[in-house]
């Protein structure tokens, strides 16, 4: 590859690259930061990468641009959102004196609606930047880079099941994600019951910061997380579906209970979210193994095994306000693709 002629900084590459990263869903949730500097999470987390939801990002460095250009879902983004991207590129380059980037990104699912678009988006961007800036980062270092764009993005570098570690150092070098099991470990399914495609009113960063500052049970949340993480790792290794499901629901409701205890309270649910929770619990009473989780948005994500998919879909599509269901399997790691090829693996 040919280097761009830019301020004597070596390594920049001309031409464009396209990266794909899948979204992920936390089975043991991340909520709260121990430091805003370097975006350091207050707790570790465990996630499942989802094949059906992804961001596809094309990046090209251009010497002649005055500022970065970021096009998301065919619309040019400006202001705060663009600054977040530019800051991330400065951080990756280690300098503001870098060639500007023209970035075009698409999500194949609603953006900013609790479906982890920032996770897949920043993971894809980290991979693309690594390639064009010639950084040669390994996966762990890429996860640390992606984390600084968005905490959950660190987990989208990997396929299958993944753990985001809680570090102790201020520089964040220990706050990295590792793979626990690849996508072939276990054929579970995650059904996303979409109850609204509107952008959420309160972003995750603001939501978790308010929770940390005002929720009276915040210290207990932090203190109880290591046990949940250990139990989840054991249950995943053993493919113990009931245990994984029970822990997943517990972590979800602990996080949302905590957010509700913030001042003013934080509630990401709508009426259909609540109805769907009851529908899933009813299914379980009737012997169907289905467990749910909810993120910073009103969608309900139902963890199940392949044999229960159709029964659950039928029951949940019957809930008033459920618009449609996205079915996902464990997805692959973030990767560079041929932009001409439509099929995303
Ligand atoms: C998670 N969420 O573990 C939790 C559960 C939402 C609910 O990580 O501030 O966009 O960019 O680090 O990663 C969403 O928050 O927050 C999130 P920042 P992020 O998936």
């Amino acid at each position: 590859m040919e280097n761009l002629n830019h301020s004597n900084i070596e390594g920049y590459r001309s031409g464009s690259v396209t990266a794909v990263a899948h979204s992920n869903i936390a089975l043991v949730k991340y909520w709260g930061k121990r430091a805003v500097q370097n975006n350091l999470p207050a707790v570790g987390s465990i996630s499942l990468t989802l094949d059906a939801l992804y961001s596809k990002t094309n990046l090209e460095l251009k010497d002649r641009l005055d500022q970065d250009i970021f096009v998301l879902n065919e619309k040019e983004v400006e202001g705060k959102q663009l600054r977040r991207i530019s800051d991330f590129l400065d951080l990756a380059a280690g300098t503001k004196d870098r060639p500007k980037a023209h970035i075009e990104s698409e999500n194949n699912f609603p953006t900013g609606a609790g479906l982890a678009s920032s996770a897949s988006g920043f993971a894809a961007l980290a991979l693309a930047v690594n390639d064009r800036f010639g950084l040669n980062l390994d996966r762990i270092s890429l996860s640390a880079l992606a984390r600084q764009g968005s905490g959950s993005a660190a987990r989208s570098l990997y396929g299958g099941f993944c753990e985001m570690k809680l570090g102790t150092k201020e520089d964040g070098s220990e706050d990295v994600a590792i793979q626990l099991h690849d996508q072939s470990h276990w054929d579970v399914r995650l059904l996303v019951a979409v109850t609204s495609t509107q952008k959420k009113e309160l972003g995750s960063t603001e939501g978790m910061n308010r929770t940390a500052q005002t929720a009276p049970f915040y210290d207990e949340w932090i203190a109880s997380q290591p046990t949940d993480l250990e139990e989840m790792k054991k249950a995943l290794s053993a493919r113990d579906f009931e245990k994984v499901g029970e822990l997943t629901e517990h972590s979800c409701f602990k996080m949302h209970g905590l957010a509700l205890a913030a001042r003013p309270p934080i509630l990401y649910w709508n009426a259909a979210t609540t109805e769907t929770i009851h529908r899933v619990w009813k299914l379980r009473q009737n012997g169907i193994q289905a467990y749910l989780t909810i993120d910073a948005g009103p969608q309900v994500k139902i963890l199940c095994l392949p044999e229960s998919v159709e029964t659950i879909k039928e029951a949940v599509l019957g809930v008033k306000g459920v618009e449609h269901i996205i079915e996902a399997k464990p997805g692959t790691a973030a990767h560079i693709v041929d932009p001409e090829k439509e099929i995303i693996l």
Side-chain angles (χ1 to χ4, degrees), residues 333-345:
H335 55 284
I336 301 290
V337 292
D338 179 342
E340 299 310 316
K341 286 193 184 145
E342 285 301 312
I343 299 165
I344 307 295
L345 298 171

Side-chain angles (χ1 to χ4, degrees), residues 81-103:
Q81 248 187 309
L82 175 63
R83 262 200 315 282
R84 188 173 175 194
I85 299 294
S86 295
D87 289 350
F88 183 76
L89 299 183
D90 292 347
L91 179 96
T95 174
K96 286 183 184 303
D97 184 21
R98 56 166 176 82
K100 302 300 181 218
H102 183 134
I103 302 163

Side-chain angles (χ1 to χ4, degrees), residues 15-223:
S16 81
V17 72
T18 301
V20 165
H22 295 272
S23 175
N24 73 77
I25 178 91
L27 305 178
V28 178
K29 303 291 188 200
Y30 148 51
W31 198 250
K33 297 175 197 292
R34 71 172 206 280
V36 172
Q37 175 79 13
N38 294 328
N39 199 29
L40 302 178
V43 289
S45 53
I46 292 178
S47 63
L48 168 63
T49 298
L50 305 175
D51 71 337
L53 307 176
Y54 62 83
S55 299
K56 185 174 171 190
T57 300
N58 180 274
L59 185 149
E60 183 168 4
L61 298 177
K62 292 190 172 168
D63 256 346
R64 290 198 190 97
L65 288 177
D66 293 333
Q67 61 166 20
D68 299 310
I69 295 175
F70 178 46
V71 181
L72 179 60
N73 298 329
E74 299 182 348
K75 251 180 95 180
E76 191 167 342
V77 169
E78 288 177 339
K80 211 172 136 191
Q81 248 187 309
L82 175 63
R83 262 200 315 282
R84 188 173 175 194
I85 299 294
S86 295
D87 289 350
F88 183 76
L89 299 183
D90 292 347
L91 179 96
T95 174
K96 286 183 184 303
D97 184 21
R98 56 166 176 82
K100 302 300 181 218
H102 183 134
I103 302 163
E104 303 231 1
S105 191
E106 293 164 37
N107 297 326
N108 76 332
F109 60 95
T111 302
L115 289 168
S117 54
S118 69
S120 52
F122 275 104
L125 187 59
L127 206 58
V129 157
N130 180 53
D131 182 87
R132 289 299 94 177
F133 285 3
L135 303 175
N136 289 320
L137 299 177
D138 60 16
R139 281 280 146 167
I140 287 196
S141 307
L142 274 170
S143 78
L145 174 62
R147 182 202 75 237
Q148 294 177 79
S150 191
S152 49
R155 303 183 310 230
S156 272
L157 263 311
Y158 299 93
F161 300 86
C162 164
E163 179 180 11
M164 176 72 203
K165 296 275 187 191
L166 173 64
T168 53
K169 294 188 179 158
E170 272 178 35
D171 68 2
S173 55
E174 297 171 344
D175 293 79
V176 296
I178 57 160
Q179 189 173 56
L180 296 173
H181 306 283
D182 75 13
Q183 58 276 12
S184 63
H185 175 67
W186 198 8
D187 187 17
V188 292
R189 299 296 159 93
L190 201 282
L191 305 179
V192 183
V194 177
T195 65
S196 169
T197 51
Q198 296 290 310
K199 228 175 156 166
K200 62 192 160 207
E201 283 171 24
L202 183 72
S204 309
T205 308
E206 292 85 353
M208 63 177 84
N209 288 342
R210 187 196 297 170
T211 306
Q213 283 155 15
T214 64
F217 324 124
Y218 186 68
D219 290 346
E220 280 76 8
W221 159 257
I222 308 278

Side-chain angles (χ1 to χ4, degrees), residues 25 53 110 113-115 190-197 270 272-277 279-280 292-295 297-303 312-313 315-328:
I25 178 91
L53 307 176
L115 289 168
L190 201 282
L191 305 179
V192 183
V194 177
T195 65
S196 169
T197 51
N270 59 28
T273 313
T274 316
E275 275 302 302
T276 307
I277 294 170
R279 189 64 58 99
V280 171
L292 66 96
T293 188
I294 305 163
D295 292 286
Q299 331 306 348
V300 181
K301 291 109 181 206
I302 303 154
L303 188 67
I312 297 168
K313 270 189 184 168
V316 171
L317 278 172
V319 174
K320 188 167 168 254
V322 170
E323 294 175 9
H324 64 281
I325 291 182
I326 304 167
E327 181 178 344

